[in-house]
Amino acid sequence: MLTVNAYAATSATDPLTPTTIERRDVGPHDVLIEIKYTGICHSDIHHVRSEWGEATYPVVPGHEIAGVVAEVGPEVTAYVAGDRVGVGCMVDSCRECANCRTGREQYCLKGNTLTYGSIGKDGTLTQGGYSTHVVVNDDFVVKIPDAIALEEAAPLLCAGITTYSPLARWGAGPGKKVAVVGLGGLGHVAVKIAHAMGAEVTVLSQSLKKMDDGLRLGADHYHATSDPETFQTLAGAFDLIVNTVSAVLDLDAYLGLLAVDGAMVNVGAPAEPLSLSVFSLIMQGRSYAGSLIGGMGETQEMLDFCGEHGIGAEVEVIRAEKINEAYERVLASDVRYRFVIDVSTLR
């Protein structure tokens, strides 16, 4: 066993504090990763504060992990020491169900093992990337292209694949009009990726205060959803809407922005139920869907795409002792656009 430094939550109300955790010995198919950077995702906050169900404590969050291979098991062939690698939201799945066999491990029918807060096959609680090292099965490790700085790559392991997957599945590309709802941690990456795919991109944000950023990141248009005229002007305009926000929206109003056969896909996860009129769908053949991260093959595809197009997240790198402050700033929307922990400050 390897003892490593980490930051952990010990309850839903107390701040995260420094600690040490044990990492398992490197098995035949395992990769030991020296973590360089870990992104802070809003879901980290939801989890440690037990807002999505009661968490088991202590828990080390972090599922946007970028680092360097330190050691591999004897049966690992895809990675060697020194490789630049990443780990996202999953570290295992059953590998046997229909979804796993088709590369959609995120929808494992037996339930995948999350990077933190899950019970692994060995019966222990998984602990995430707010730590100096992690041991992961090689099937759940991905290579980070040299063209992407590790600190900018870390958020792609969640925000990148979460937005790339629906954009790819619903055919964002030349001749398609895509709207991104929200220009935050997810939305800003969605804009970059949709632009690189060749789509005409519009940002739909509550206000125009981030318009300059949105246009700089690749948006062609930017509209404020607080202005009722937006929904009249853009009625029937889009082939695809990717909703990245976790707030309650007037779904009927947003569905009215879709063209015939258009689709609106939710990747944000509001805690409250949402409602809509079925007529918003059936009268124009529209679809409303959800999407959850992506499988391991698609995650590697996303990273390769981002490497080819020079796409990384817009990040603010922080020291580990600033994690609790960063949480409060995330809740206040005071970040452009993703906090990333410099894990060297944990050592």
Side-chain angles (χ1 to χ4, degrees):
M1 301 286 282
L2 177 66
T3 300
V4 305
N5 291 336
Y7 251 72
T10 56
S11 79
T13 55
D14 291 326
L16 280 75
T17 53
T19 188
T20 59
I21 57 173
E22 300 294 323
R23 294 300 193 187
R24 69 175 184 264
D25 292 331
V26 177
H29 288 281
D30 282 338
V31 178
L32 171 63
I33 301 169
E34 180 184 352
I35 300 173
K36 299 295 186 181
Y37 298 96
T38 299
I40 292 178
C41 179
H42 202 149
S43 60
D44 296 345
I45 303 173
H46 286 305
H47 183 89
V48 303
R49 297 187 176 183
S50 290
E51 293 171 351
W52 285 347
E54 186 63 32
T56 301
Y57 301 98
V59 60
V60 175
H63 58 212
E64 298 179 343
I65 300 169
V68 175
V69 174
E71 181 184 343
V72 299
E75 297 184 34
V76 174
T77 59
Y79 304 99
V80 297
D83 281 350
R84 305 166 84 248
V85 295
V87 177
C89 301
M90 302 177 289
V91 292
D92 208 351
S93 71
C94 80
R95 329 284 183 89
E96 298 172 349
C97 71
N99 293 343
C100 285
R101 291 198 306 271
T102 57
R104 306 184 80 190
E105 299 93 343
Q106 76 273 32
Y107 300 128
C108 176
L109 295 174
K110 296 182 181 179
N112 58 54
T113 302
L114 299 177
T115 305
Y116 63 85
S118 278
I119 301 299
K121 291 177 181 176
D122 63 357
T124 63
L125 184 71
T126 57
Q127 304 287 3
Y130 295 14
S131 58
T132 58
H133 296 77
V134 66
V135 178
V136 181
N137 182 279
D138 61 344
D139 285 341
F140 288 82
V141 177
V142 288
K143 290 185 177 180
I144 296 175
D146 291 339
I148 312 174
L150 287 179
E151 64 270 30
E152 295 179 5
L156 299 180
L157 276 302
C158 175
I161 185 57
T162 295
T163 54
Y164 177 91
S165 186
L167 288 167
R169 180 180 172 188
W170 274 273
K176 294 295 183 72
K177 294 184 177 182
V178 174
V180 176
V181 182
L183 193 71
L186 291 172
H188 90 280
V189 178
V191 168
K192 288 189 173 189
I193 292 174
H195 173 74
M197 288 177 168
E200 182 179 334
V201 184
T202 297
V203 173
L204 300 175
S205 185
Q206 192 171 22
S207 73
L208 298 179
K209 66 181 181 180
K210 296 181 182 178
M211 176 184 278
D212 289 344
D213 277 4
L215 298 178
R216 174 179 60 84
L217 295 170
D220 299 286
H221 315 285
Y222 201 108
H223 293 271
T225 55
S226 57
D227 182 354
E229 289 189 9
T230 292
F231 292 90
Q232 299 172 15
T233 302
L234 300 178
F238 301 111
D239 301 296
L240 173 64
I241 299 173
V242 178
N243 176 26
T244 72
V245 303
S246 296
V248 175
L249 301 180
D250 181 348
L251 291 183
D252 295 310
Y254 282 86
L255 290 168
L257 302 179
L258 291 171
V260 172
D261 294 331
M264 179 172 174
V265 184
N266 244 67
V267 295
E272 302 86 351
L274 302 178
S275 62
L276 59 85
S277 168
V278 173
F279 286 100
S280 296
L281 302 176
I282 63 177
M283 296 306 291
Q284 295 292 322
R286 298 165 175 144
S287 301
Y288 181 57
S291 182
L292 176 69
I293 54 174
M296 297 312 301
E298 189 174 39
T299 302
Q300 187 63 65
E301 176 185 299
M302 176 274 301
L303 285 170
D304 292 342
F305 178 89
C306 289
E308 291 168 7
H309 293 274
I311 295 173
E314 305 284 306
V315 302
E316 180 178 336
V317 179
I318 62 167
R319 296 179 58 85
E321 61 264 28
K322 297 291 186 180
I323 289 172
N324 294 297
E325 178 185 324
Y327 274 25
E328 297 307 316
R329 288 181 57 192
V330 169
L331 295 174
S333 299
D334 179 25
V335 56
R336 293 194 177 179
Y337 282 89
R338 206 67 154 182
F339 284 118
V340 172
I341 303 162
D342 178 354
V343 175
S344 70
T345 62
L346 265 172
R347 294 183 174 87

